[in-house]
Amino acid sequence: MITCEEFFAEFGDYLEDQVSPEVRKELEVHLSQCRACHVLYDSSLKTIKIVTESSSFDLPESVSNPIIDRVMAKLRADRS
Amino acid sequence: MNEDNSKHVLRQVKVRGKRRSHEVVDSGDRFDPSKTAAGDDKSQERFLYLTALAIGFFQVGNQVVTQSHGIAQRFHRKRVLVEPRNAVKIGDTAHAQNEEIELDCVAVMIEPMRKEDSPILNIDLIDFPCKKLDTPQHLTSRIYNRREIEIARRYFMEHGCEQKKILAIDKGDLDGRIPGKCSLQLHRDREARKPASQNEHPFVRCILHALSRIRWMRRYSRSKRCGEFALPTANRPRLQPEKPKTYTRLLLIRVNCRAHMSFFSEVELEDKFVPFVAFREALGFIPNLLHAQTLLPRVIEAQAKLEGAVRLQEGSISRVQKERILLSIAVERQDAYCITLDSKVLSSLGASEGQIDSLLSDHRNADLSATDLACLQFCLKLAGHAPSVSSEDIEALRACGFQDEAIFEAIITTALAVYRCTLSVGLGPEPDFALRKLPATRIVSPREGAPRSSLSHVHAAAKRKGPYVPAPYLSPKAFAAFGVVQKSHGFIPNFFRTQTLRPDLLEAELQAVDRILVPEDLLTRVQKECILLAVSAANLNSYCVAMHCNLLRGLGMPSEEGDQIAVDYRESNLSEADKTLLDFALKLGTRGPEFSREDVARLRACGFTEEQLLECEVVTALNNFANTLQMGLGIEPDFEPPLVFEKNKVFLSGSAQTPIDGGGAVHLVDIADPDAEWVAQAQSGDLQAFEELVRRHSQLIYRTLAAILGNPADAQDAMQDTLLSAFKHIGGFQRRSKFSTWLVSIARNSALQRLRRGKNLESLDEGVYDEEKDFRPRQVRAWQDNPEQFYSKSEIRQLVERGILALPVNYRVVVTLRDIQQLSTDEVAQQLGLSVPTVKTRLLRGRIMLREWLSPHFIANVRGIAQ
């Protein structure tokens, strides 16, 4: 079985589903037997899901529209 | 001449052709006729300038000669004579107990060769002292056919049979009959005064004697004793029987005798230079292809690593099979040098001349087994038109009974053949043996003369996913070479991961790559990557194009520039010198038959050194090796190739008028960009179009700004600056990238300027934060099954924003664009001007740090509201 260090070296690609079938097999064997790495994997997946669905740094139209309007007004004024 | 002075020796003698540009032997200790013997050290002089002479090196007898054991045994006791075109190794170490033998006469004859004659005589060493030399006397009494030649005030006599004639060594006196050049290099002599133990690196002491070739040939060719020593047989002059009376020994010194030097200068490397030793042991000689690279020993090492692992060992396919592959590909490419060399090697492995002739004329009639024929045809297809190879070809090999390892070896042998042929074209080495001509009845295979590329084949091959052979997992810990790759590339590309079936071959390949690509003492890494990118693009290799675009981005080149090099480097912003270098590489890499010595001269005139050009050629050869291997193994891309490259393949493929060959330029325009229409209108001054664009991308701009500035309020302020700046510069947007990418670059610059104004010197460049090698996730407790269910949406959002803002800026930006804005990794890399590996590294670290920041809120048994 691969070590935790070797698992971590492939971990980024594994999260992105970008590993070859051979590597995936090794990683999954490791995951099934290493609790620490399993926790890392599980919590990382949940982190990604939470962050992806969080709508963080959403710029509401109520904020963006006035900014864009100001810019466009300035540009039109400069042109005229 | 002070005969006891070891400096007074001819360490290196070069006999060069009349058309040789540099006539001065450029180093070593030589004699200067104008100086006293004592002042002769370290002099440089114009040396022999002759082309039609046999050069004899005499050690005249009646003297005690301290010989190493090997010489004594081979030449004294066993009376072994040197055969033409055979390398004979003579012991090269001094022995504590020197054996003393008496040599009546030691002579070396070197005959300048016609271009079609290519004997090389490699005799490693002669070592004998000059003590008590009384050469004129000895020569007078022992040698017939004498002439007198002055070298460094010494008179060496040659007795003429019919008439006496005195020749001075001067180009005016020595008429050249055979055009070309010879290089004689003598090493090591023994200083008699010193004990053997101190004679470890002796230099040859010898007496140079020049005789006319014909006279020598008369003598040696009819001599019973010396008959085996006769040199080339072709066009030998009509000879008269004439038995020499005095030559009782012939001893050949290491001689490199070439009528036709390669395109580059050659320097002397030690006999013990490891690649030379390896080749001498494996083949019995050192191929001129290696001699032609002696300006850069590390590239010889690279080739030796590859050949040693791939070619010179038995594997899942036999050496004979490998040599057949090499020879057939050389034939297909009509590479005279490789044909000659590989025929000889195949012959030495037991192939009959008839079999070799059959391979040369038509491999299909070479009486090969069905499996061997299938393998050969696959390799020829791969070498001839790699993009058309698909998994079906591999399946066909499997159906013939080939195992995966054998298939892998066949593919890498093919790649090696391409590497060697590319080098052979670029270096122009003199053939190692008499040139082997293709039979007049040679059957041209159907592929020859066909268009270089056909997109339908390319697309058909591209449809089937690779890799075609299994690639067992190999951890960087267990396979140290991967650690080197990780360091040089920032990640381990699929290119290497897919070759783990044979770690021994992979390791050799990585060592070769390390010696060719890593040093930056000649060409820079950027120049090398540009060569690799441009030639890969011409070879239609999307994998390598994507790889080198990314590596260039990692080296600081804007992504649009890399993309432009891929489709048409002539329209890029590279310097003219670099474009010329790419012209050179591209011609060598893809249009070998057109390549000539003049191409080298042209680049030299542009200011490139010989070493740089040699390195450029080796990089090009390595590129062709890699392209072939990638196509043969069906290696899956690590990154998306530039869209514009894929789109323009039709122009690059040769099935349409190519921009490179046809003179038309390809610009990175018309990229598939959903904003293209609006951009065109905005560039013509349409404010409404511009407004539409900024409304489309306001979220992207804001998130980029917030991530860099780390403060949503500042981001809102910076947004106005960004939009004004975008409008100001939109006229200069060349549409080499998507508009959104360009807009993010404007936002990024605005944010960084704002940070600098606040003396917050943040940087997003490569390398920052990426050197934390010991980055490791901290242990955390397991999270709950659905942790977000315990928080409201706004609480989650608040938590995530706080967590992201707590990250270092480099990680913050990448996580924001990838996970919140949900761009692909490639897009994030493009928009931030970073390489994909860097983005991946930052993304993983950012995610893990964020996970640790969030953990206290989501671990099992914790309930509560974000604090």
Side-chain angles (χ1 to χ4, degrees), chain B residues 779-798:
Chain B
Q779 294 292 336
V780 297
R781 289 164 60 190
W783 283 22
Q784 308 203 31
D785 281 345
N786 293 301
E788 64 271 32
Q789 67 182 311
F790 301 105
Y791 297 89
S792 68
K793 220 171 172 182
S794 66
E795 286 169 342
I796 291 280
R797 176 182 163 174
Q798 196 183 354

Side-chain angles (χ1 to χ4, degrees), chain B residues 6 8-15 25 27-31 47-48 55-59 106-110 121-128 130 151 182-190 201-209 251-257 267-271:
Chain B
S6 66
H8 285 193
V9 296
L10 298 168
R11 288 173 56 184
Q12 189 176 54
V13 179
K14 294 193 175 180
V15 182
V25 177
S27 64
D29 306 323
R30 294 186 182 81
F31 305 108
F47 205 64
L48 291 181
I55 306 300
F57 290 86
F58 287 65
Q59 172 69 28
V106 179
V108 173
M109 186 180 79
I110 303 151
L121 303 169
N122 274 328
I123 307 299
D124 285 331
L125 178 69
I126 177 174
D127 46 359
F128 48 83
C130 292
I151 302 174
C182 285
S183 172
L184 315 182
Q185 297 176 321
L186 310 181
H187 308 260
R188 307 185 179 200
D189 80 343
R190 174 160 305 198
H201 299 292
F203 296 102
V204 162
R205 289 179 189 218
C206 63
I207 302 162
L208 176 65
H209 201 87
L251 190 57
L252 207 57
I253 306 175
R254 173 197 161 90
V255 173
N256 295 327
C257 180
V267 298
E268 184 65 19
L269 297 177
E270 281 189 357
D271 280 349

Side-chain angles (χ1 to χ4, degrees), chain B residues 330-448:
Chain B
V331 170
E332 198 78 352
R333 295 185 164 226
Q334 301 185 33
D335 187 313
Y337 173 83
C338 289
I339 290 171
T340 302
L341 175 58
D342 297 341
S343 297
K344 197 75 179 178
V345 175
L346 194 53
S347 169
S348 73
L349 292 173
S352 69
E353 289 301 303
Q355 287 172 328
I356 294 172
D357 276 340
S358 300
L359 275 177
L360 297 183
S361 58
D362 183 2
H363 65 271
R364 291 168 295 188
N365 296 328
D367 202 21
L368 300 176
S369 67
T371 51
D372 281 349
L373 186 59
C375 178
L376 206 51
Q377 287 185 322
F378 165 76
C379 294
L380 287 169
K381 179 178 181 181
L382 177 60
H385 189 212
S388 65
V389 167
S390 72
S391 57
E392 287 172 3
D393 296 299
I394 307 294
E395 289 305 325
L397 284 180
R398 287 199 180 102
C400 289
F402 280 93
Q403 301 295 315
D404 287 331
E405 281 203 21
I407 294 170
F408 182 82
E409 281 188 24
I411 291 170
I412 199 167
T413 304
T414 304
L416 177 65
V418 174
Y419 179 91
R420 293 168 73 244
C421 287
T422 307
L423 273 186
S424 154
V425 168
L427 298 172
E430 176 69 3
D432 299 293
F433 304 97
L435 204 59
R436 182 116 193 183
K437 291 187 171 63
L438 290 174
T441 56
R442 181 167 177 259
I443 309 298
V444 177
S445 71
R447 197 197 62 77
E448 290 181 22

Side-chain angles (χ1 to χ4, degrees), chain B residues 553 559 700 704 738-745 748 817 821 823 826-834:
Chain B
R553 206 185 302 154
S559 57
L700 174 64
T704 305
K738 284 186 180 178
F739 177 73
S740 58
T741 303
W742 179 78
L743 206 52
V744 166
S745 72
R748 188 184 62 202
L817 293 181
Q821 187 65 23
L823 302 179
D826 278 348
E827 286 173 324
V828 175
Q830 289 260 354
Q831 305 214 339
L832 296 178
L834 298 171

Side-chain angles (χ1 to χ4, degrees), chain B residues 517 519-529 612 615:
Chain B
L517 293 187
E520 295 202 71
D521 51 340
L522 299 168
L523 298 178
T524 64
R525 183 65 191 269
V526 170
Q527 284 174 312
K528 291 179 190 178
E529 289 297 333
Q612 285 175 318
E615 190 173 42

Side-chain angles (χ1 to χ4, degrees), chain A residues 6 43 46 57 59 65 79, chain B residues 475 685 699 784 801 851:
Chain A
E6 290 165 342
S43 54
K46 287 172 178 166
F57 302 118
L59 186 66
N65 281 342
R79 175 165 293 183
Chain B
S475 84
Q699 199 67 256
Q784 308 203 31
E801 287 187 358
R851 157 194 167 270

Side-chain angles (χ1 to χ4, degrees), chain B residues 435-491:
Chain B
L435 204 59
R436 182 116 193 183
K437 291 187 171 63
L438 290 174
T441 56
R442 181 167 177 259
I443 309 298
V444 177
S445 71
R447 197 197 62 77
E448 290 181 22
R452 187 171 141 255
S453 301
S454 161
L455 272 188
S456 58
H457 286 144
V458 176
H459 291 318
K463 279 180 193 167
R464 299 169 191 87
K465 296 223 1 157
Y468 304 149
V469 295
Y473 174 71
L474 199 56
S475 84
K477 194 175 178 185
F479 186 64
F482 269 173
V484 179
V485 181
Q486 181 83 43
K487 191 176 171 187
S488 63
H489 288 68
F491 70 113

Side-chain angles (χ1 to χ4, degrees), chain A residues 2 10 14 18-30, chain B residues 398 404 466-475 494 497-501 636:
Chain A
I2 61 171
E10 306 291 341
Y14 185 55
Q18 289 180 350
V19 292
S20 67
E22 292 88 351
V23 175
R24 174 182 305 282
K25 191 176 166 191
E26 295 283 341
L27 297 178
E28 287 175 354
V29 168
H30 181 85
Chain B
R398 287 199 180 102
D404 287 331
Y468 304 149
V469 295
Y473 174 71
L474 199 56
S475 84
N494 285 342
R497 287 176 183 267
T498 307
Q499 298 182 57
T500 50
L501 192 62
E636 285 290 292

